[in-house]
Amino acid sequence: MAEDAQAPAQRRWRSPCPNCGAPVEFASPASSSAVCSFCRSTLLRKDDELLRTGESSELFADYSPLQIGTQGALQGEPFTILGRVQLAYEGGSWNEWHAFFEASGKSAWLAEDNGRFVLSWPQSDDALPGRDELILDSQQLIAGRAWRVASLQACTLHAAEGELPEAPRLGEAVLVAELRSAQDEVGSLEYVEGAPVPRWSVGRAVELAALKLSNVREESVAGVGGRSIECPNCGSPIQPQLDQSQSVSCGQCQAVVQLGQTGQALSFHKQQLGGGDPPIALGRSGQLALELGGARLPWQIVGFLQRQTSEDGETFPWREYLLFNREQGFAFLVDSSEGWSLVRTLTGSPQMVGSTARWQGKNFRLKERYTATTTRVLGEFYWRLQRNEQGEVADFEGPGGEILGREQSRNEVTWSQGRKLDATEVMAAFGMNSAMRRAAADVNPVNLGDSLKGILIFLLVAMLLVGFVKACSDDDCDPVRRGFGEQSLEYQQCLAGQRSSSGSFRVPSGGGGGGGWGGGGHK
């Protein structure tokens, strides 16, 4: 960022830490608290004196590119990251960064939200709902505006560092309620025991690139403490690549290992071996545009899931790849029998009118509802995966190949938005050759034209499909099982085709892709 866009230098207040004597500096006159960077004492600024109020725990490692001292600008107004708090819950943790805008003297919070970032501003309102009034997916009216309760999460204030607007009460229990609106806003209600009213803030998603950040961390991915951990099932070494990972699969025995906050293995559950490697290998990178005609961005595959749904005794599977981009966060590349799609979680909540979801002036019609079960995972994930994790999913179709998905778990409702992809776009992005393409088993309908080439392609695909269905209907899926494995998506599709008199597969379109955010924490 250019020098003239940065916050100008100002008079800073400095005093020695009353515990260790190290210098503690306040850059913002609005900051009333700080954490000593040497001894981690929590300090309260009172007049010209610093008082020690406690000691902060060590911060959990994370993949965020942000750090104290990071600078940027929002709508031309410079800001500086002065501190952060870290909240922990059963499924992991998330950061909230204190951003100080010097020109206006205001403080805001830049927080992580489902792999994205939301900039929120504290609000004051006397008519806020009580914690007992909140029910998941219920509507709340605050200051005359409609909000939908998207998440209810019990957590604790785990750690803090740098300058903060108020002294952190470390270890305090907090109920965080996330509310989302049809205007793509995120509201946060924080209920603290003993506090007369909750803390209320409202924000929007921001792209880190648009903030023109400088002084960021050079690397946002690294091994946990630079060490590998031992698989609690087979003893093989496991080296997580994302510090934020909460679940990782063992490359040897494929057990799903839950990681503690310092990276150590806590628990695990076994998976049945087999199923083969993902058609697109873990670690592979490619460039895809989130929107049709938009800029192509680099994405790396860090996780792989096989999911399925059942109806009338038949099972219908599909694949999902977890993608990571340093500035964009996470997205899901979904591969089903209906083709490919790329989806990412929304910060807002579409408005439901009957069976139609309205979002940003567009109507999306309900296609189908189903229960999605995660049956196999590889790689690592920013939420804690449970055995046979389930979510209630609804898929919606909109204009121009756009899709919406809604997934609900025990304590969270999450919406995603994306678009359908042509198979050639995926092949080009990840450098898939014809063999990889066949392994992906994409049966996306061919777009036929009037040309002879189109007719020949259609006939070839039709012959292959007839042969595939015939093999399945003749109770002969053994070649598929031997070639791809008993737990593979191809074998399950063959069995499904064998059970189906028509030979067609009812598989979700992928609008609800991303089982992780449906089964884990909201941050």
Side-chain angles (χ1 to χ4, degrees):
M1 184 175 180
E3 289 293 329
D4 57 359
Q6 302 296 340
Q10 66 170 21
R11 183 177 179 183
R12 295 170 179 258
W13 188 83
R14 183 177 300 167
S15 180
C17 172
N19 183 57
C20 70
V24 178
E25 187 176 81
F26 284 78
S28 166
S31 299
S32 63
S33 178
V35 178
C36 177
S37 59
F38 288 87
C39 67
R40 302 205 58 77
S41 292
T42 55
L43 308 172
L44 178 65
R45 179 180 174 182
K46 187 175 181 180
D47 297 326
D48 290 330
E49 184 180 9
L50 278 182
L51 303 177
R52 186 176 186 271
T53 60
E55 183 175 341
S56 174
S57 301
E58 289 293 329
L59 289 155
F60 300 145
D62 62 81
Y63 65 89
S64 173
L66 302 177
Q67 62 181 352
I68 290 181
T70 293
Q71 294 181 308
L74 178 69
Q75 298 178 348
E77 183 178 359
F79 68 85
T80 303
I81 299 294
L82 298 182
R84 69 164 158 171
V85 295
Q86 199 169 67
L87 293 97
Y89 63 107
E90 184 181 5
S93 64
W94 77 89
N95 294 311
E96 296 189 358
W97 298 86
H98 174 209
F100 178 65
F101 291 78
E102 183 177 334
S104 61
K106 294 182 178 180
S107 291
W109 293 95
L110 187 57
E112 299 152 9
D113 181 59
N114 278 316
R116 302 180 69 179
F117 291 89
V118 170
L119 187 65
S120 300
W121 303 84
Q123 307 288 319
S124 59
D125 196 299
D126 296 331
L128 295 173
R131 59 188 299 164
D132 296 334
E133 301 177 44
L134 300 180
I135 301 174
L136 188 65
D137 204 32
S138 65
Q139 182 171 284
Q140 295 288 333
L141 290 176
I142 300 178
R145 301 173 61 188
W147 297 85
R148 185 71 62 176
V149 179
S151 172
L152 296 170
Q153 186 67 62
C155 57
T156 58
L157 181 56
H158 169 74
E161 69 171 336
E163 297 179 42
L164 303 170
E166 59 183 60
R169 296 168 55 185
L170 299 175
E172 69 180 2
V174 184
L175 174 66
V176 178
E178 293 288 359
L179 284 66
R180 303 180 186 272
S181 76
Q183 288 72 44
D184 203 19
E185 292 179 312
V186 180
S188 179
L189 288 166
E190 298 183 2
Y191 297 86
V192 181
E193 292 291 343
V197 294
R199 294 190 287 260
W200 169 237
S201 61
V202 175
R204 287 183 177 273
V206 293
E207 304 292 349
L208 295 188
L211 298 179
K212 300 178 181 179
L213 299 178
S214 63
N215 192 28
V216 296
R217 286 170 55 182
E218 292 184 1
E219 294 292 337
S220 59
V221 290
V224 179
R227 303 185 305 272
S228 64
I229 61 174
E230 184 177 286
C231 174
N233 183 49
C234 70
S236 298
I238 301 175
Q239 179 66 68
Q241 297 301 307
L242 293 175
D243 282 330
Q244 188 74 352
S245 293
Q246 299 297 322
S247 298
V248 60
S249 67
C250 173
Q252 183 67 29
C253 68
Q254 296 188 12
V256 180
V257 181
Q258 311 292 356
L259 300 179
Q261 302 291 8
T262 57
Q264 78 275 16
L266 288 181
S267 60
F268 72 97
H269 65 263
K270 296 181 180 180
Q271 296 187 106
Q272 193 166 0
L273 290 173
D277 296 329
I280 311 178
L282 292 176
R284 201 175 186 92
S285 296
Q287 293 195 351
L288 289 171
L290 291 170
E291 299 177 356
L292 184 63
R296 293 193 304 165
L297 303 171
W299 299 93
Q300 183 179 25
I301 297 175
V302 297
F304 171 78
L305 306 96
Q306 281 189 185
R307 307 185 80 196
Q308 67 181 36
T309 187
S310 300
E311 182 178 325
D312 299 329
E314 297 185 22
T315 300
F316 308 99
W318 69 95
R319 302 182 178 99
E320 298 180 8
Y321 297 87
L322 178 62
L323 309 181
F324 175 74
N325 174 281
R326 180 181 179 185
E327 293 183 339
Q328 298 290 331
F330 295 94
F332 293 87
L333 179 64
V334 183
D335 174 21
S336 75
S337 69
E338 292 195 0
W340 296 85
S341 57
L342 180 65
V343 297
R344 194 164 64 144
T345 55
L346 291 175
T347 51
S349 177
Q351 180 183 12
M352 290 299 302
V353 181
S355 60
T356 299
R358 290 186 56 84
W359 179 247
Q360 295 183 338
K362 300 176 183 178
N363 290 331
F364 295 78
R365 65 173 182 85
L366 176 65
K367 181 185 178 185
E368 55 188 340
R369 298 180 185 272
Y370 52 92
T371 300
T373 303
T374 301
T375 58
R376 180 172 179 251
V377 300
L378 296 173
E380 52 189 291
F381 306 87
Y382 62 89
W383 68 93
R384 289 193 179 180
L385 284 163
Q386 306 300 321
R387 185 192 300 270
N388 297 324
E389 192 169 80
Q390 289 188 330
E392 299 300 320
V393 179
D395 285 343
F396 299 81
E397 291 185 325
E402 293 187 52
I403 52 179
L404 284 179
R406 178 189 182 276
E407 184 157 351
Q408 180 170 346
S409 64
R410 177 175 54 87
N411 62 349
E412 183 174 17
V413 175
T414 308
W415 285 84
S416 63
Q417 181 183 25
R419 65 182 181 95
K420 296 180 180 179
L421 302 178
D422 188 84
T424 57
E425 184 178 356
V426 180
M427 292 177 64
F430 291 97
M432 298 172 65
N433 55 35
S434 58
M436 294 169 64
R437 182 66 184 84
R438 286 193 297 272
D442 181 11
V443 291
N444 195 31
V446 178
N447 184 18
L448 294 177
D450 296 329
S451 65
L452 178 61
K453 180 180 178 181
I455 295 174
L456 292 175
I457 293 176
F458 171 74
L459 291 175
L460 177 61
V461 172
M463 291 172 62
L464 291 174
L465 287 177
V466 169
F468 181 68
V469 172
K470 183 178 185 303
C472 293
S473 61
D474 288 343
D475 194 23
D476 189 14
C477 288
D478 280 345
V480 181
R481 177 180 59 80
R482 290 194 299 268
F484 293 96
E486 188 170 352
Q487 301 303 313
S488 68
L489 178 64
E490 287 77 11
Y491 182 60
Q492 298 302 320
Q493 284 181 329
C494 184
L495 293 178
Q498 188 177 39
R499 291 190 294 265
S500 173
S501 60
S502 65
S504 62
F505 309 133
R506 173 193 171 277
V507 180
S509 62
W517 43 254
H522 70 296
K523 292 293 188 181

